[in-house]
Amino acid sequence: MDNSYLIKTDELVKIFPMGKSKITALNHVNLQFKKAEFSGLVGPSGSGKTTLLNIVGSLDSPTEGSATVMGRKIEDLSHKQGAELRNRHIGFIFQTFNLLPVYTVFENVEFPLLLLGLSAQERKKKVMKALEWVQLADRVKSKPAQLSGGESQRVAIARAVVKEPKIILADEPTANLDAENSHNILRTLEKINRELETTFIFATHDEKVIRYLRRKITLIDGKVARDEVFENPVGKGEGQ
Amino acid sequence: MIKFILKGILRDRSRSLFPVLVVAIGVFLTVLFYSYMGGVMTSFLDTSAKFDTGHLKIMSRAYAENSDQMPNDLAYIGVERLMNELKKDFPGYVWTKRIRFGGLLDVPDDSGETRAQGPVAGLALDLFTPDSLEWKLLGIKDSIVQGNAPEKPGEILISDEFAKRLGISPGETVTLIGSTMYGSMAAANFTVAGTVHFGITALDRGAVVADVTDIQMALDMEDAAGEILGFFDNFVYREEEAGLAALKFNVKYEGEKDEFSPVMMSLHEQGGMIDMMGMINLYLPVLVIVFVIIMSIVLWNAGLIGSLRRYGEIGVRLAMGESKGHLYRSTIIESIFLGVIGTVIGTALALVIAFWLQEKGFNISQMMQSSTLLMNDVIRAKVTPMSFVIGFIPGLLSNVFGSSIAGIGIYKRKTAQLMKELEV
């Protein structure tokens, strides 16, 4: 395996049984993602975007072929090993933020670090750093219910980046946000990508997100239809 | 991590209040029932031992077979010699002889004609031996309502209720009409020294308390007594030890064919006590198990509702890399914490009421009007060290068991569905 790739799929196939028939969600997908990529999976609903994110995020395993993430074959991982991989190396950003409502902003961001078993001092330092990235250091004591949609998503981003993972998987991260908040979020993510060299993979059909991507992979019927690289994404500088 | 869980529990009342309430109510009922039943049984055993069975009782074999009829014609003869042997062979016990007798109490008027008459159930005790334990054992002095305690031979006590019914006052002379142990008619005059109220309906209806020597003379029972009662010297009944003492005594007289040879029975071997004590020993664990099952079902459902409500949270935690085992364990830790809180609250509330019931008691004399059970009219709870801890069995078990079942859903959750589920 070429070690310069963080993620590599070889002839990746995912088939879901649907009653007596079968649906092929991914059909012999071959992709590689390098460190610090800012890429996105685009395509219509049912094209296999989320299925691919699931497999790369060790939430699901392939039916055929192979997916290698951080040098570990997803199909060979036990549930516990999959959880460990997610815990150490993968951050998730969801469409609906999914913050824990009874905990403060600080505690929500702190949670992944608790799973890593870091000391209180280390946790505090990392949480504050993550909140500064998303410009919410002054809202540490707020509860999710007291935040706007944009702020909630920024907390979710802080939660995803706090452990400084190598990979962040974002599923429609701007779907519930207005244009201004979407641009703010995307600029924040781009900044994190640049400064921490985190590999981002989006699953989206939001045009605003697509304009920020440096690599756009179009999936149609579970196959890679196009894989385009942009030196200067058009979204850069928008919304300012 | 535990601190994180505790914060969640304390802040999310719907996650903690219902389980704590269910556990507290269940534990409250368990502890209260346990303490109350403990009080009832202790009172019953204590009263039975003092007034009837002793911790050990020796009778003639023939008397033992018909003891319900108080058959003094079958009484044991040679009591003094036997009591001396008992003191020597069983040093950890105190022994006292008693005669239970029935008869008619006749109250004469000034001209000697019958003014009133009534049937009595008599109890002859050792009242005048200087170190007699009967005064303390039966609390005679504390039970006197009118007059005084008997001070010399020929004086008796009668129940206050009976005295009122027959119009007898202390100082009056009454005649006891009965039969001797040989079957002939007996009549003896006694002076009523005072009236008593033991607080035991079965005794207070028509009891006469007399000195055993007086009754031996009146019923022609020289050196005879229906029963010799033995008590542990600290008056605390120990079932196993009493059973062994009875066995030891009976082995000695095993070979004798005489129906008047003595036989010893422990408290639990008398009057169906063994069945009753067996039932008590069965009831309490059954009660605790029933509470555990009922509360577990309720808490299981509460856990399922909680899991549904926290579906998103559980999904996010799985997605962030928390293993299913870790997540499951954290729900168990949560349930232990809630179980302890509920148990402490339930136990504290139950103990407050149990202590109150221990002091004040609950008067059941109206229910005991026709009872022949030797039970105190006022039933009190009894708080024992076990009362403080027994609630932890249903409190912790049910909550942990309920959460364990509800938490199985965590293992059934398909991580592949998380993205879709979390998009809702």
Side-chain angles (χ1 to χ4, degrees):
Chain A
M1 195 197 106
D2 188 341
N3 284 330
S4 63
Y5 296 113
L6 288 185
I7 301 163
K8 187 169 187 285
T9 68
D10 289 310
E11 298 297 325
L12 188 66
V13 175
K14 182 68 187 180
I15 299 169
F16 292 108
M18 192 72 86
K20 285 181 181 175
S21 60
K22 288 176 179 174
I23 290 179
T24 305
L26 294 174
N27 194 356
H28 298 279
V29 172
N30 294 294
L31 286 170
Q32 295 87 34
F33 295 90
K34 287 182 189 167
K35 187 180 179 184
E37 282 202 22
F38 202 72
S39 54
L41 306 170
V42 300
S45 294
S47 59
K49 304 186 296 289
T50 302
T51 304
L52 185 55
L53 275 197
N54 273 341
I55 293 173
V56 169
S58 76
L59 294 171
D60 205 355
S61 55
T63 309
E64 284 173 31
S66 177
T68 308
V69 178
M70 303 293 298
R72 308 192 69 175
K73 286 188 181 295
I74 296 296
E75 58 273 23
D76 295 339
L77 298 181
S78 65
H79 168 77
K80 199 174 174 183
Q81 288 168 327
E84 201 179 305
L85 180 71
R86 289 198 296 279
N87 189 13
R88 294 196 178 280
H89 301 298
I90 303 170
F92 286 89
I93 300 170
F94 306 100
Q95 180 180 326
T96 50
F97 328 135
N98 287 298
L99 301 178
L100 308 178
V102 297
Y103 296 100
T104 62
V105 164
F106 184 93
E107 288 157 355
N108 264 282
V109 178
E110 185 189 26
F111 183 72
L113 303 179
L114 283 171
L115 296 176
L116 287 171
L118 300 186
S119 70
Q121 204 180 354
E122 276 179 293
R123 292 200 304 269
K124 190 175 178 185
K125 200 173 146 192
K126 283 178 180 284
V127 170
M128 292 314 295
K129 190 176 165 192
L131 287 172
E132 275 160 20
W133 276 327
V134 296
Q135 297 170 325
L136 280 174
D138 56 337
R139 302 297 301 270
V140 284
K141 289 183 179 168
S142 301
K143 294 275 179 67
Q146 297 166 310
L147 303 175
S148 67
E151 286 172 328
S152 294
Q153 192 60 301
R154 276 150 63 196
V155 175
I157 291 167
R159 183 177 63 185
V161 301
V162 69
K163 57 190 178 188
E164 299 187 20
K166 300 285 181 205
I167 302 158
I168 288 182
L169 305 175
D171 191 19
E172 303 284 7
T174 55
N176 285 332
L177 301 176
D178 58 26
E180 190 188 341
N181 273 312
S182 296
H183 285 297
N184 286 338
I185 292 296
L186 288 162
R187 275 200 304 276
T188 305
L189 295 176
E190 200 186 34
K191 186 179 149 205
I192 290 165
N193 164 254
R194 222 173 28 246
E195 290 183 10
L196 300 180
E197 295 191 309
T198 308
T199 300
F200 277 80
I201 305 177
F202 296 85
T204 186
H205 33 49
D206 183 347
E207 204 50 47
K208 294 189 291 294
V209 178
I210 294 168
R211 290 155 79 91
Y212 275 82
L213 299 177
R214 293 200 295 274
R215 182 182 176 194
K216 184 172 89 172
I217 300 156
T218 307
L219 290 175
I220 295 173
D221 295 333
K223 289 182 178 172
V224 179
R226 279 188 302 280
D227 189 348
E228 303 159 272
V229 176
F230 309 102
E231 288 301 322
N232 293 300
V234 288
K236 210 172 176 185
E238 277 187 14
Q240 291 183 22
Chain B
M1 194 66 184
I2 288 175
K3 200 174 157 191
F4 183 83
I5 293 168
L6 295 186
K7 275 182 194 168
I9 292 170
L10 294 174
R11 289 177 194 166
D12 187 358
R13 267 198 236 163
S14 57
R15 178 167 151 192
S16 51
L17 196 61
F18 184 67
V20 166
L21 271 180
V22 171
V23 170
I25 291 168
V27 168
F28 172 81
L29 293 173
T30 307
V31 174
L32 192 59
F33 186 81
Y34 177 84
S35 303
Y36 191 70
M37 282 305 291
V40 169
M41 290 323 300
T42 305
S43 165
F44 179 59
L45 291 179
D46 197 45
T47 308
S48 294
K50 284 175 180 172
F51 285 93
D52 182 17
T53 63
H55 293 155
L56 290 166
K57 187 195 271 188
I58 298 166
M59 301 159 276
S60 73
R61 285 181 192 173
Y63 185 99
E65 281 173 20
N66 302 284
S67 61
D68 291 344
Q69 298 165 30
M70 296 181 281
N72 282 329
D73 52 326
L74 304 174
Y76 184 77
I77 300 170
V79 171
E80 295 307 324
R81 183 190 53 79
L82 182 59
M83 283 185 65
N84 285 333
E85 278 180 24
L86 288 168
K87 280 173 193 165
K88 198 172 68 187
D89 295 345
F90 298 92
Y93 298 83
V94 286
W95 302 94
T96 185
K97 60 193 173 197
R98 284 188 186 173
I99 298 171
R100 289 193 290 151
F101 59 95
L104 200 63
L105 202 67
D106 184 273
V107 189
D109 62 12
D110 292 340
S111 58
E113 297 297 324
T114 297
R115 191 184 80 207
Q117 238 179 23
V120 289
L123 189 59
L125 317 162
D126 179 6
L127 292 179
F128 299 129
T129 302
D131 59 348
S132 170
L133 57 99
E134 300 285 21
W135 293 95
K136 191 182 164 196
L137 200 61
L138 304 187
I140 294 171
K141 284 184 178 162
D142 293 337
S143 304
I144 290 175
V145 180
Q146 292 183 70
N148 307 303
E151 289 169 353
K152 56 181 186 289
E155 289 187 341
I156 59 168
L157 292 167
I158 60 173
S159 84
D160 194 57
E161 189 187 319
F162 186 65
K164 281 176 184 159
R165 204 164 63 233
L166 266 60
I168 306 169
S169 303
E172 284 193 60
T173 300
V174 293
T175 304
L176 173 70
I177 302 164
S179 64
T180 69
M181 75 177 286
Y182 302 104
S184 54
M185 189 175 167
N189 287 340
F190 291 96
T191 303
V192 176
T195 65
V196 283
H197 178 80
F198 288 112
I200 299 164
T201 304
L203 278 179
D204 290 333
R205 270 200 299 267
V208 166
V209 177
D211 179 56
V212 70
T213 310
D214 286 347
I215 296 300
Q216 281 176 325
M217 284 173 64
L219 305 183
D220 203 4
M221 294 176 72
E222 193 182 345
D223 197 24
E227 301 160 354
I228 297 170
L229 301 190
F231 294 89
F232 285 99
D233 50 12
N234 61 358
F235 294 99
V236 176
Y237 181 63
R238 297 187 289 277
E239 183 181 329
E240 201 175 330
E241 219 174 299
L244 286 173
L247 193 68
K248 181 184 166 190
F249 181 88
N250 292 332
V251 164
K252 189 175 170 183
Y253 293 93
E254 204 174 27
E256 294 197 12
K257 303 286 181 204
D258 184 3
E259 66 172 349
F260 287 94
S261 63
V263 63
M264 186 188 279
M265 295 170 92
S266 63
L267 185 156
H268 65 276
E269 290 170 321
Q270 298 176 57
M273 288 285 191
I274 202 161
D275 297 331
M276 192 169 284
M277 289 170 86
M279 270 166 61
I280 296 161
N281 290 335
L282 182 71
Y283 271 154
L284 281 176
V286 166
L287 175 89
V288 171
I289 289 168
V290 166
F291 271 122
V292 168
I293 292 171
I294 293 172
M295 289 199 296
S296 294
I297 292 170
V298 175
L299 290 166
W300 168 26
N301 280 288
L304 286 175
I305 294 165
S307 296
L308 283 176
R309 220 175 50 78
R310 294 167 64 195
Y311 205 70
E313 177 197 327
I314 292 167
V316 170
R317 287 169 66 173
L318 286 171
M320 280 195 285
E322 187 169 2
S323 71
K324 287 180 175 179
H326 189 273
L327 193 49
Y328 187 74
R329 281 194 296 280
S330 79
T331 63
I332 301 294
I333 290 170
E334 194 173 312
S335 71
I336 291 171
F337 185 73
L338 293 175
V340 169
I341 293 175
T343 303
V344 169
I345 292 171
T347 302
L349 289 174
L351 286 176
V352 168
I353 298 189
F355 272 118
W356 181 79
L357 276 173
Q358 187 171 271
E359 286 301 310
K360 301 287 178 189
F362 181 56
N363 196 324
I364 57 162
S365 57
Q366 291 299 316
M367 289 184 261
M368 301 289 286
Q369 289 299 325
S370 57
S371 170
T372 55
L373 282 175
L374 285 176
M375 261 181 103
N376 273 317
D377 291 348
V378 178
I379 299 293
R380 296 172 197 280
K382 190 179 184 197
V383 178
T384 62
M386 194 53 146
S387 306
F388 286 82
V389 295
I390 192 154
F392 281 88
I393 300 171
L396 278 180
L397 266 187
S398 59
N399 211 27
V400 171
F401 188 58
S403 296
S404 305
I405 301 173
I408 290 170
I410 291 169
Y411 283 101
K412 290 189 175 170
R413 188 98 177 246
K414 285 191 165 50
T415 50
Q417 297 294 319
L418 286 176
M419 288 288 195
K420 279 183 188 167
E421 287 168 355
L422 295 172
E423 276 172 18
V424 178

PDB file of all heavy atoms in Angstrom, chain A residues 157-175:
ATOM      1  N   ILE A 157     -18.318  21.527  15.179  1.00  0.00           N
ATOM      2  CA  ILE A 157     -17.006  21.497  14.512  1.00  0.00           C
ATOM      3  C   ILE A 157     -15.896  21.414  15.566  1.00  0.00           C
ATOM      4  O   ILE A 157     -14.958  20.624  15.440  1.00  0.00           O
ATOM      5  CB  ILE A 157     -16.831  22.745  13.607  1.00  0.00           C
ATOM      6  CG1 ILE A 157     -17.790  22.650  12.414  1.00  0.00           C
ATOM      7  CG2 ILE A 157     -15.387  22.882  13.117  1.00  0.00           C
ATOM      8  CD1 ILE A 157     -17.923  23.948  11.635  1.00  0.00           C
ATOM      9  N   ALA A 158     -16.036  22.235  16.605  1.00  0.00           N
ATOM     10  CA  ALA A 158     -15.026  22.213  17.677  1.00  0.00           C
ATOM     11  C   ALA A 158     -14.942  20.814  18.279  1.00  0.00           C
ATOM     12  O   ALA A 158     -13.846  20.316  18.577  1.00  0.00           O
ATOM     13  CB  ALA A 158     -15.389  23.235  18.755  1.00  0.00           C
ATOM     14  N   ARG A 159     -16.103  20.183  18.439  1.00  0.00           N
ATOM     15  CA  ARG A 159     -16.125  18.825  19.002  1.00  0.00           C
ATOM     16  C   ARG A 159     -15.410  17.844  18.054  1.00  0.00           C
ATOM     17  O   ARG A 159     -14.734  16.921  18.507  1.00  0.00           O
ATOM     18  CB  ARG A 159     -17.575  18.392  19.215  1.00  0.00           C
ATOM     19  CG  ARG A 159     -17.734  17.039  19.853  1.00  0.00           C
ATOM     20  CD  ARG A 159     -19.188  16.702  20.091  1.00  0.00           C
ATOM     21  NE  ARG A 159     -19.923  16.623  18.832  1.00  0.00           N
ATOM     22  CZ  ARG A 159     -21.243  16.429  18.745  1.00  0.00           C
ATOM     23  NH1 ARG A 159     -21.969  16.332  19.841  1.00  0.00           N
ATOM     24  NH2 ARG A 159     -21.830  16.354  17.580  1.00  0.00           N
ATOM     25  N   ALA A 160     -15.576  18.058  16.760  1.00  0.00           N
ATOM     26  CA  ALA A 160     -14.933  17.157  15.799  1.00  0.00           C
ATOM     27  C   ALA A 160     -13.419  17.369  15.728  1.00  0.00           C
ATOM     28  O   ALA A 160     -12.667  16.423  15.528  1.00  0.00           O
ATOM     29  CB  ALA A 160     -15.560  17.353  14.417  1.00  0.00           C
ATOM     30  N   VAL A 161     -12.974  18.633  15.892  1.00  0.00           N
ATOM     31  CA  VAL A 161     -11.537  18.903  15.709  1.00  0.00           C
ATOM     32  C   VAL A 161     -10.742  18.875  17.016  1.00  0.00           C
ATOM     33  O   VAL A 161      -9.513  18.866  16.970  1.00  0.00           O
ATOM     34  CB  VAL A 161     -11.294  20.268  15.008  1.00  0.00           C
ATOM     35  CG1 VAL A 161     -11.961  20.301  13.654  1.00  0.00           C
ATOM     36  CG2 VAL A 161     -11.739  21.433  15.871  1.00  0.00           C
ATOM     37  N   VAL A 162     -11.441  18.836  18.156  1.00  0.00           N
ATOM     38  CA  VAL A 162     -10.744  18.998  19.438  1.00  0.00           C
ATOM     39  C   VAL A 162      -9.652  17.953  19.650  1.00  0.00           C
ATOM     40  O   VAL A 162      -8.613  18.230  20.251  1.00  0.00           O
ATOM     41  CB  VAL A 162     -11.765  19.009  20.617  1.00  0.00           C
ATOM     42  CG1 VAL A 162     -12.392  17.641  20.820  1.00  0.00           C
ATOM     43  CG2 VAL A 162     -11.113  19.502  21.895  1.00  0.00           C
ATOM     44  N   LYS A 163      -9.872  16.758  19.147  1.00  0.00           N
ATOM     45  CA  LYS A 163      -8.851  15.719  19.333  1.00  0.00           C
ATOM     46  C   LYS A 163      -7.829  15.738  18.182  1.00  0.00           C
ATOM     47  O   LYS A 163      -6.969  14.869  18.097  1.00  0.00           O
ATOM     48  CB  LYS A 163      -9.518  14.350  19.463  1.00  0.00           C
ATOM     49  CG  LYS A 163     -10.395  13.975  18.285  1.00  0.00           C
ATOM     50  CD  LYS A 163     -11.203  12.722  18.579  1.00  0.00           C
ATOM     51  CE  LYS A 163     -12.107  12.408  17.397  1.00  0.00           C
ATOM     52  NZ  LYS A 163     -13.047  11.336  17.674  1.00  0.00           N
ATOM     53  N   GLU A 164      -7.956  16.772  17.326  1.00  0.00           N
ATOM     54  CA  GLU A 164      -7.070  16.951  16.175  1.00  0.00           C
ATOM     55  C   GLU A 164      -6.958  15.668  15.360  1.00  0.00           C
ATOM     56  O   GLU A 164      -5.874  15.088  15.202  1.00  0.00           O
ATOM     57  CB  GLU A 164      -5.703  17.474  16.615  1.00  0.00           C
ATOM     58  CG  GLU A 164      -5.822  18.826  17.294  1.00  0.00           C
ATOM     59  CD  GLU A 164      -4.481  19.478  17.608  1.00  0.00           C
ATOM     60  OE1 GLU A 164      -3.481  19.087  16.971  1.00  0.00           O
ATOM     61  OE2 GLU A 164      -4.462  20.367  18.470  1.00  0.00           O
ATOM     62  N   PRO A 165      -8.103  15.218  14.817  1.00  0.00           N
ATOM     63  CA  PRO A 165      -8.085  13.968  14.061  1.00  0.00           C
ATOM     64  C   PRO A 165      -7.453  14.159  12.696  1.00  0.00           C
ATOM     65  O   PRO A 165      -7.363  15.284  12.204  1.00  0.00           O
ATOM     66  CB  PRO A 165      -9.577  13.634  13.918  1.00  0.00           C
ATOM     67  CG  PRO A 165     -10.246  14.961  13.907  1.00  0.00           C
ATOM     68  CD  PRO A 165      -9.440  15.847  14.813  1.00  0.00           C
ATOM     69  N   LYS A 166      -7.041  13.081  12.111  1.00  0.00           N
ATOM     70  CA  LYS A 166      -6.447  13.166  10.775  1.00  0.00           C
ATOM     71  C   LYS A 166      -7.539  13.378   9.724  1.00  0.00           C
ATOM     72  O   LYS A 166      -7.277  13.952   8.673  1.00  0.00           O
ATOM     73  CB  LYS A 166      -5.704  11.859  10.441  1.00  0.00           C
ATOM     74  CG  LYS A 166      -4.595  11.539  11.410  1.00  0.00           C
ATOM     75  CD  LYS A 166      -3.390  12.430  11.162  1.00  0.00           C
ATOM     76  CE  LYS A 166      -2.258  12.080  12.122  1.00  0.00           C
ATOM     77  NZ  LYS A 166      -1.357  13.196  12.337  1.00  0.00           N
ATOM     78  N   ILE A 167      -8.720  12.868  10.014  1.00  0.00           N
ATOM     79  CA  ILE A 167      -9.802  12.897   9.024  1.00  0.00           C
ATOM     80  C   ILE A 167     -11.068  13.472   9.663  1.00  0.00           C
ATOM     81  O   ILE A 167     -11.407  13.107  10.800  1.00  0.00           O
ATOM     82  CB  ILE A 167     -10.107  11.454   8.534  1.00  0.00           C
ATOM     83  CG1 ILE A 167      -8.853  10.819   7.932  1.00  0.00           C
ATOM     84  CG2 ILE A 167     -11.277  11.429   7.557  1.00  0.00           C
ATOM     85  CD1 ILE A 167      -8.890   9.304   7.921  1.00  0.00           C
ATOM     86  N   ILE A 168     -11.754  14.339   8.931  1.00  0.00           N
ATOM     87  CA  ILE A 168     -13.076  14.781   9.376  1.00  0.00           C
ATOM     88  C   ILE A 168     -14.070  14.473   8.270  1.00  0.00           C
ATOM     89  O   ILE A 168     -13.860  14.835   7.106  1.00  0.00           O
ATOM     90  CB  ILE A 168     -13.096  16.272   9.751  1.00  0.00           C
ATOM     91  CG1 ILE A 168     -12.345  16.478  11.083  1.00  0.00           C
ATOM     92  CG2 ILE A 168     -14.547  16.772   9.896  1.00  0.00           C
ATOM     93  CD1 ILE A 168     -12.330  17.896  11.590  1.00  0.00           C
ATOM     94  N   LEU A 169     -15.133  13.779   8.648  1.00  0.00           N
ATOM     95  CA  LEU A 169     -16.188  13.427   7.695  1.00  0.00           C
ATOM     96  C   LEU A 169     -17.388  14.307   8.007  1.00  0.00           C
ATOM     97  O   LEU A 169     -17.857  14.317   9.159  1.00  0.00           O
ATOM     98  CB  LEU A 169     -16.543  11.943   7.835  1.00  0.00           C
ATOM     99  CG  LEU A 169     -15.370  10.976   7.704  1.00  0.00           C
ATOM    100  CD1 LEU A 169     -15.823   9.546   7.976  1.00  0.00           C
ATOM    101  CD2 LEU A 169     -14.725  11.066   6.315  1.00  0.00           C
ATOM    102  N   ALA A 170     -17.832  15.029   7.029  1.00  0.00           N
ATOM    103  CA  ALA A 170     -18.929  15.973   7.256  1.00  0.00           C
ATOM    104  C   ALA A 170     -20.086  15.639   6.319  1.00  0.00           C
ATOM    105  O   ALA A 170     -19.932  15.678   5.099  1.00  0.00           O
ATOM    106  CB  ALA A 170     -18.445  17.399   7.033  1.00  0.00           C
ATOM    107  N   ASP A 171     -21.206  15.290   6.931  1.00  0.00           N
ATOM    108  CA  ASP A 171     -22.372  14.912   6.127  1.00  0.00           C
ATOM    109  C   ASP A 171     -23.335  16.094   6.061  1.00  0.00           C
ATOM    110  O   ASP A 171     -23.976  16.429   7.065  1.00  0.00           O
ATOM    111  CB  ASP A 171     -23.040  13.688   6.780  1.00  0.00           C
ATOM    112  CG  ASP A 171     -24.083  13.076   5.861  1.00  0.00           C
ATOM    113  OD1 ASP A 171     -24.041  13.329   4.653  1.00  0.00           O
ATOM    114  OD2 ASP A 171     -24.947  12.342   6.381  1.00  0.00           O
ATOM    115  N   GLU A 172     -23.409  16.742   4.926  1.00  0.00           N
ATOM    116  CA  GLU A 172     -24.291  17.902   4.724  1.00  0.00           C
ATOM    117  C   GLU A 172     -24.184  18.906   5.875  1.00  0.00           C
ATOM    118  O   GLU A 172     -25.168  19.226   6.526  1.00  0.00           O
ATOM    119  CB  GLU A 172     -25.756  17.447   4.586  1.00  0.00           C
ATOM    120  CG  GLU A 172     -26.011  16.451   3.482  1.00  0.00           C
ATOM    121  CD  GLU A 172     -26.014  17.084   2.081  1.00  0.00           C
ATOM    122  OE1 GLU A 172     -25.679  18.278   1.984  1.00  0.00           O
ATOM    123  OE2 GLU A 172     -26.314  16.367   1.124  1.00  0.00           O
ATOM    124  N   PRO A 173     -23.002  19.421   6.152  1.00  0.00           N
ATOM    125  CA  PRO A 173     -22.829  20.255   7.354  1.00  0.00           C
ATOM    126  C   PRO A 173     -23.540  21.604   7.297  1.00  0.00           C
ATOM    127  O   PRO A 173     -23.707  22.241   8.330  1.00  0.00           O
ATOM    128  CB  PRO A 173     -21.304  20.454   7.421  1.00  0.00           C
ATOM    129  CG  PRO A 173     -20.845  20.312   6.020  1.00  0.00           C
ATOM    130  CD  PRO A 173     -21.752  19.319   5.380  1.00  0.00           C
ATOM    131  N   THR A 174     -23.940  22.030   6.100  1.00  0.00           N
ATOM    132  CA  THR A 174     -24.561  23.356   5.996  1.00  0.00           C
ATOM    133  C   THR A 174     -26.041  23.286   5.650  1.00  0.00           C
ATOM    134  O   THR A 174     -26.682  24.294   5.407  1.00  0.00           O
ATOM    135  CB  THR A 174     -23.840  24.194   4.917  1.00  0.00           C
ATOM    136  OG1 THR A 174     -23.858  23.433   3.700  1.00  0.00           O
ATOM    137  CG2 THR A 174     -22.407  24.505   5.297  1.00  0.00           C
ATOM    138  N   ALA A 175     -26.578  22.073   5.669  1.00  0.00           N
ATOM    139  CA  ALA A 175     -27.960  21.893   5.202  1.00  0.00           C
ATOM    140  C   ALA A 175     -28.970  22.673   6.030  1.00  0.00           C
ATOM    141  O   ALA A 175     -30.007  23.091   5.518  1.00  0.00           O
ATOM    142  CB  ALA A 175     -28.314  20.405   5.207  1.00  0.00           C
TER     143      ALA A 175
END
